[in-house]
Amino acid sequence: MTLSIRWKVALGTLLAITLGLAAAGWLAFRSIEKLELAHAEEKLAARTGLTALTLQPLLTRPDTPPIRLQAMAHELSRHASARVTVIDQQGRVLADSDVPDDAVSKIENHVSRPEVAGALSTGHGTDLRWSETTGQRLFYLAQRVTFPGSRTVHVVRLAMPLTTLETRIREFQRALAIAFGVAFLVSVTLSLLIARGLTRPLSDIATVARQLAGGALRQRIQTRSKDEVGVLAATLNQMADQMDRDITALRRLEQVRKDFVANVSHELRTPLTSIKGYVEALLDGAKDNPEEATRFLQIILNQSDRLNLILEDLLQLSQIESGLVRFKRDPVSLSALVERTLPFIKPLMDKKRQSLTVMVSPDLPPVSGDEDRLVQVLTNLLDNAVKYTPEGGTIHIAGQPTNDPAQVELSVADTGIGIPEADRPRVFERFYRVDKARSREMGGTGLGLSIVRHIVEGHTGKIWVEGNQPSGSRFVIHLPVVSEAAGPTQTSLDIPA
Ligand code: ADP
């Protein structure tokens, strides 16, 4: 099992706190004991000094009877609240307040007791031990006593049981332990709370990230923090937005593809059904009637041409859309473009007795583009203008500058049936026709303007259609002019269609 980040943070904090408290506690315990002992020593040293001073007259006199010394030791012990022992230079105990008078002479030699040895050699000695004589834990303090004019050396020793001191220390330590226990509990609670506060946004993020990964792309992380966690949450949210958008776009594309397949099938089925119908009629006997047979065969031929036309347009469109076709970037003059295109269209216009006007501004800079493709653009537009303008109408081609010096405008206007405003943006979609029957009757595939738009946009240009005054439509194209920096002869790879 892996530990959640919350527990990791909480346990880490706790460990640090516990170690800190333990170290502080140990130091406090130790220093209390030391302090108390130092204090006790100070007190005991003062009393020992006073005791020695009081004993001075007895000790300097060589004939003092031991019983007198012993009585004095008792007396002083009462005043000093401590055991009083008098020892001579050889370590013999001369008097001891805690020992019955007749037993003093039987006490073993004290010369090797640490405090006595200390006092004899340095003048001062202490020790802390269990007394063999009284069976208590005692704090001993011994002082060497010499007196001016006398060569005798004595040691006066005071001893105090440490029971009160120890109870005090223990009480103090108990209070300390309670304080540390409380501090520990508080820090456990705090570290748990802090760990939760710190890690909750992270676990929220983890939860939402899991949901996002599971496909719930509408999920978002709620966070107000501005720190790294906040940044992480915002980034994840952004990613989710992006994914959501991408998926929406993908779905739309998928829909477009489905529509396209349906449209193409429909467009192809119409001529095929017609061909099949006439072939069946021929097989059923029409072939024996030469006149009827010729008429039917002519229809079949027309429908086959139409199929061919649709397939050609589709092929071209898919090539342009696939992005595989790169357009040349040659300098193309608009007047040359018009001149190259008109021969294809002029016969159709003449047939419908339509008149044509062309107006290209004289010193218009050349556009940067693929001449063959641009001829195709103009051909499609003019072809439509002829198709959707009745006999005797007028078609007008214009080339002129725009407000942007980097762009020029090419437009084709007619006095034909026009396009209702609502349909205008849609006529550039594949297979979109304002009047299906009429378009088909004119031999249209519904793909011409899609191809036009793709070529124009492939040139980083723009195309739209507006109403023409007083009637008809006006198709407007903006194309980039050759930029000075790029030079006039720049070309790019052209994949043949
Ligand atoms: P089609 O092969 O049907 O002409 P297009 O893509 O070239 O296909 O044009 C799409 C539709 O836009 C046409 O069916 C027609 O309804 C409309 N349209 C195009 N050009 C004109 C125009 N000059 N006048 C009126 N309608 C037009």
Side-chain angles (χ1 to χ4, degrees), residues 83-152:
R83 175 181 166 194
V84 176
T85 313
V86 183
I87 302 155
D88 72 5
Q89 197 168 6
Q90 283 70 44
R92 280 194 302 262
V93 176
L94 305 181
D96 191 316
S97 62
D98 273 22
V99 176
D101 298 351
D102 52 354
V104 173
S105 56
K106 289 176 206 123
I107 298 175
E108 67 169 328
N109 191 295
H110 269 36
V111 79
S112 56
R113 297 286 200 274
E115 73 280 7
V116 178
L120 283 173
S121 60
T122 68
H124 182 92
T126 59
D127 193 28
L128 187 67
R129 67 164 181 276
W130 295 94
S131 155
E132 280 168 30
T133 325
T134 63
Q136 270 181 315
R137 191 163 178 242
L138 296 176
F139 184 42
Y140 293 94
L141 194 144
Q143 264 181 19
R144 188 175 58 192
V145 190
T146 51
F147 300 104
S150 150
R151 296 234 262 92
T152 52

Side-chain angles (χ1 to χ4, degrees), residues 165-176:
L165 185 99
E166 276 169 344
T167 5
R168 268 246 299 288
I169 291 181
R170 233 176 285 129
E171 262 167 27
F172 212 97
Q173 288 176 340
R174 195 177 314 128
L176 202 72

Side-chain angles (χ1 to χ4, degrees), residues 384 387-388 414 418-419 427 432-434 439 444-446 448-449 473:
N384 279 349
K387 273 195 298 191
Y388 301 105
D414 62 54
I419 303 171
V427 291
Y432 190 84
R433 282 165 287 195
V434 178
S439 154
T445 61
L449 285 181
S473 336

Side-chain angles (χ1 to χ4, degrees), residues 306 309 313 380-389 412-420 423-424 426-436 438-440 442-452 465 472-475:
R306 184 169 164 68
L309 207 63
D313 278 359
N380 283 6
L381 291 183
L382 287 171
D383 187 49
N384 279 349
V386 173
K387 273 195 298 191
Y388 301 105
T389 303
V412 175
D414 62 54
T415 55
I417 60 171
I419 303 171
D423 292 304
R424 282 179 200 159
R426 300 204 57 191
V427 291
F428 298 99
E429 293 173 14
R430 300 188 200 100
F431 296 120
Y432 190 84
R433 282 165 287 195
V434 178
D435 180 342
K436 265 200 189 270
R438 185 180 196 133
S439 154
R440 205 166 289 142
M442 301 282 183
T445 61
L447 294 170
L449 285 181
S450 307
I451 294 173
V452 165
V465 59
S473 336
R474 195 170 97 94
F475 284 84

